[in-house]
Amino acid sequence: MAKCKLLMQTGQVQKIIDFFDGYSDDKVSCKYVKKVGIKAEFECETELSPEEAAGHCKGVFKGTPEGKVLYFSIQPDGFFG
């Protein structure tokens, strides 16, 4: 499996950290790396491309009660420049 970095951000970033730190399913395995302001950095092991992994994680989080009401962004490293 390849590793990629995903950047996740929201005004309540701790909710994303709590959910994704140690999260694993059949497509991704995520590990929390660091937080800067409203952004959290995660290292993910996956067979998906970084863009596909970000999309998968976004879909997973949208299925949670917090994900249905929070404005958040999940993007591959380098997306924001």
Side-chain angles (χ1 to χ4, degrees), residues 5-9 39 50-51 54 58 71 73-81:
K5 285 185 185 175
L6 297 181
L7 303 176
M8 304 184 187
Q9 62 184 17
K39 295 180 186 173
E51 293 80 13
K58 186 174 184 176
Y71 176 78
S73 173
I74 300 176
Q75 301 295 338
D77 188 29
F79 180 84
F80 298 107

Side-chain angles (χ1 to χ4, degrees), residues 1-72:
M1 291 186 120
K3 290 186 179 182
C4 67
K5 285 185 185 175
L6 297 181
L7 303 176
M8 304 184 187
Q9 62 184 17
T10 183
Q12 296 182 14
V13 73
Q14 192 61 47
K15 291 189 183 282
I16 283 184
I17 293 169
D18 292 343
F19 182 81
F20 280 108
D21 189 22
Y23 176 81
S24 184
D25 64 20
D26 61 330
K27 295 186 179 185
V28 297
S29 178
C30 298
K31 179 183 169 192
Y32 171 69
V33 176
K34 67 180 179 179
K35 177 179 91 163
V36 177
I38 64 168
K39 295 180 186 173
E41 181 180 309
F42 286 83
E43 182 178 83
C44 291
E45 288 190 29
T46 182
E47 294 293 332
L48 302 173
S49 71
E51 293 80 13
E52 291 170 327
H56 175 72
C57 288
K58 186 174 184 176
V60 167
F61 194 65
K62 275 190 172 241
T64 68
E66 293 89 357
K68 291 178 182 174
V69 297
L70 283 178
Y71 176 78
F72 67 95

